[in-house]
Amino acid sequence: MLTSDFNFDLPEELIAQHPSGVRGQDKLMLLDRASGQVEHHMMDDLPSLITPDTLMIFNNSRVRRARVYGIKETTGREQEFMFLNTIDKECTIWNTMVKSAKKQKPGMHYKFPDGTIGTIVDVPGNAGTEFRAMKFDFAIDEDWFERNGHIPLPPYIKRGDTEEDSERYQNVYADQTGSAACPTAGLHFTKEMLERLDKTGIERHFVTLHVGLGTFLPVREDQIENHKMHEEWYTIPKETADAINKAKAQGRPILAVGTTSVRTLESAAQKLEQSGLKPGQNGEWVHAGTSSTSIFMYPGFEFKVVDKMFTNFHTPESTLIMLVSAFAGREHILSAYKEAVENRYRFFSYGDCMLIR
C-alpha cells in the first residue's frame, strides 16, 4: 500500500492556528464506518450520539514544556531541542529531537535559559536521525522544564506558543506529565461535558500514553509497510483494565478518545496474544500494567478492543490518517475528509472533531 494513497487536498487556511474561542465549541462530524454516511453536528451534541452502555477511554497524559532553546557554546547561536524521554534511570540523559541534527555533534555544549549546561553524547541508533542524546550533571525534572521550556506546538502551527496555549493545549483531565505533544482529541472536552456524559450513565476510565514525536514523524517510505514507528510507553491501571474486560464480556461498546487511546488498547490486546491468550480468553482482552509499543495500524489491521473512536482530523500521508483508515476504511475516511473541507471544518490539533461509530 502506497503512502500517497492517503493524500488529500487541504487548503492551508483550514489548518487551525489557534484554539476555538471557547473550549468545546467545535464542529463534530459523525461517520458511520460501515456505510460511510456522514452527519454534521456540534460538540455539544455528543452525549446524544453515544449510547448509555458505552465505556469511554481517555488518555490522561499531560504535555510537558518540552521545547527548549539552548545556546551553542561554539557559535552563540540558538538551537531548538524537543525533549522526548529519559535514557537513564537518573534522568540525566535525555533523548531529544533536534533541528539541523547533522550539525549537532557529540561533545557540543549548550547553555539553557537558567544557565544549565547540556552536552550531546553518542548513543546507539541516533546517528543519521533527527535525534540526539543530551547529558546533564544533574537530574532534569518537571521544575526544570517549567523554568526553561515552551509548550511544544506542532510544526504546522506557524507561530510561537503563548500563555493561552499553556491552558488550551492541555486536556482538562490531564494529570500525568510526560507527553511531547498533546493527545488532542481530548481538547474538545470541558468539565461540563464530562459531567453531562456522567449524567447519561456513560462510564469512563483513563489510560496513560506519553506521546513521543515518533507518532507525528512523516512517513518517508513509498510503501507504508516499510515504515517503522518509534517506541512510546503506556500504562493501563487495574481499574481501567477491569472495566474494559467487563464491558467486552457484556458486549458493551468501547469508545476510545483519541488515537493514543486506540494505540494503547490495541497494543495491550497484542501483548495478550503474544502471551499465548486469545482476546476474551479467561474473560480478558487487556492486562493492566506498563509496557511499550511501536504499533503501526493501517488498513488490514484487525481491531480487538476498540468499537468506536473519537478523533481529530489528521494530516495527509500521516500514520494517524492511516490508523483511522484502518478503523473506518480508506475510502470512507477520504470521502469524509473531502466533505469536511467543503464544509470548512478546521483541521489538526486545534481543529474540529469526528466521531466514528
Side-chain angles (χ1 to χ4, degrees):
M1 192 169 288
L2 298 176
T3 299
S4 58
D5 290 337
F6 298 89
N7 197 10
F8 63 93
D9 292 327
L10 178 65
E12 188 172 350
E13 67 267 20
L14 295 185
I15 300 173
Q17 297 297 306
H18 296 271
S20 57
V22 177
R23 188 191 289 264
Q25 292 188 359
D26 308 296
K27 293 180 181 179
L28 187 158
M29 176 181 284
L30 176 64
L31 171 63
D32 185 304
R33 66 181 178 130
S35 67
Q37 182 178 348
V38 161
E39 296 178 8
H40 300 285
H41 294 271
M42 295 298 292
M43 181 64 188
D44 196 53
D45 301 329
L46 182 65
S48 67
L49 303 176
I50 304 174
T51 55
D53 61 340
T54 300
L55 170 59
M56 297 183 72
I57 302 296
F58 294 79
N59 179 10
N60 62 6
S61 181
R62 184 173 176 81
V63 182
R64 171 180 286 134
R65 298 181 74 91
R67 177 175 282 129
V68 189
Y69 296 89
I71 302 299
K72 186 184 288 190
E73 182 182 66
T74 53
T75 65
R77 292 180 179 175
E78 186 176 72
Q79 179 63 45
E80 176 185 318
F81 294 89
M82 184 73 74
F83 282 70
L84 301 178
N85 56 274
T86 60
I87 295 177
D88 64 331
K89 292 181 180 179
E90 292 75 27
C91 298
T92 60
I93 305 176
W94 282 75
N95 196 31
T96 71
M97 180 181 282
V98 192
K99 287 188 175 181
S100 306
K102 290 181 180 179
K103 298 180 181 179
Q104 321 311 321
K105 302 180 185 301
M108 289 183 171
H109 302 290
Y110 300 81
K111 186 175 183 178
F112 293 97
D114 67 349
T116 302
I117 303 296
T119 304
I120 292 182
V121 294
D122 194 19
V123 299
N126 273 1
T129 71
E130 302 95 334
F131 303 102
R132 293 291 182 268
M134 180 73 69
K135 187 178 189 309
F136 299 87
D137 291 333
F138 61 94
I140 299 299
D141 57 17
E142 296 307 328
D143 288 339
W144 188 88
F145 287 108
E146 287 296 319
R147 293 194 306 272
N148 293 280
H150 294 260
I151 296 295
L153 296 177
Y156 46 75
I157 294 181
K158 307 297 186 182
R159 61 176 178 81
D161 64 308
T162 66
E163 197 56 41
E164 179 187 37
D165 297 308
S166 298
E167 186 253 333
R168 292 298 299 274
Y169 197 65
Q170 297 280 10
N171 292 317
V172 297
Y173 48 78
D175 58 7
Q176 302 295 316
T177 302
S179 278
C182 183
T184 52
L187 293 179
H188 304 280
F189 289 84
T190 62
K191 292 181 179 179
E192 291 74 20
M193 174 57 71
L194 296 175
E195 290 172 359
R196 287 180 60 197
L197 293 169
D198 290 344
K199 288 178 180 178
T200 65
I202 294 169
E203 186 181 2
R204 58 185 165 92
H205 287 277
F206 297 95
V207 296
T208 305
L209 182 142
H210 291 314
V211 184
L213 290 200
T215 299
F216 302 98
L217 283 175
V219 178
R220 297 192 175 99
E221 304 286 349
D222 292 333
Q223 298 280 344
I224 66 173
E225 293 86 353
N226 296 329
H227 177 72
K228 302 298 182 185
M229 295 285 286
H230 286 267
E231 188 177 61
E232 294 169 316
W233 287 88
Y234 68 85
T235 298
I236 301 179
K238 185 178 186 304
E239 180 183 2
T240 299
D242 289 346
I244 292 168
N245 292 329
K246 181 179 179 181
K248 295 297 289 186
Q250 294 174 338
R252 295 163 50 207
I254 308 295
L255 195 171
V257 176
T259 56
T260 57
S261 297
V262 174
R263 296 181 72 240
T264 298
L265 300 183
E266 297 300 330
S267 295
Q270 280 193 351
K271 299 284 185 186
L272 194 71
E273 287 187 309
Q274 291 166 2
S275 72
L277 295 175
K278 294 181 179 180
Q281 188 175 342
N282 300 329
E284 289 188 303
W285 278 259
V286 299
H287 278 319
T290 296
S291 189
S292 65
T293 181
S294 55
I295 192 170
F296 181 22
M297 304 160 74
Y298 51 86
F301 182 87
E302 183 180 350
F303 289 81
K304 303 294 198 312
V305 180
V306 177
D307 304 296
K308 304 177 183 181
M309 188 188 308
F310 181 94
T311 186
N312 280 14
F313 291 89
H314 304 294
T315 53
E317 299 188 357
S318 65
T319 61
L320 302 179
I321 194 172
M322 294 171 189
L323 186 156
V324 295
S325 295
F327 191 68
R330 185 182 72 90
E331 293 78 11
H332 289 168
I333 288 294
L334 292 180
S335 176
Y337 275 42
K338 184 173 185 293
E339 190 161 339
V341 169
E342 292 169 353
N343 285 272
R344 309 298 290 177
Y345 277 67
R346 286 154 45 93
F347 277 69
F348 310 160
S349 292
Y350 274 147
D352 295 309
C353 52
M354 171 186 281
L355 174 62
I356 308 173
R357 67 179 194 189

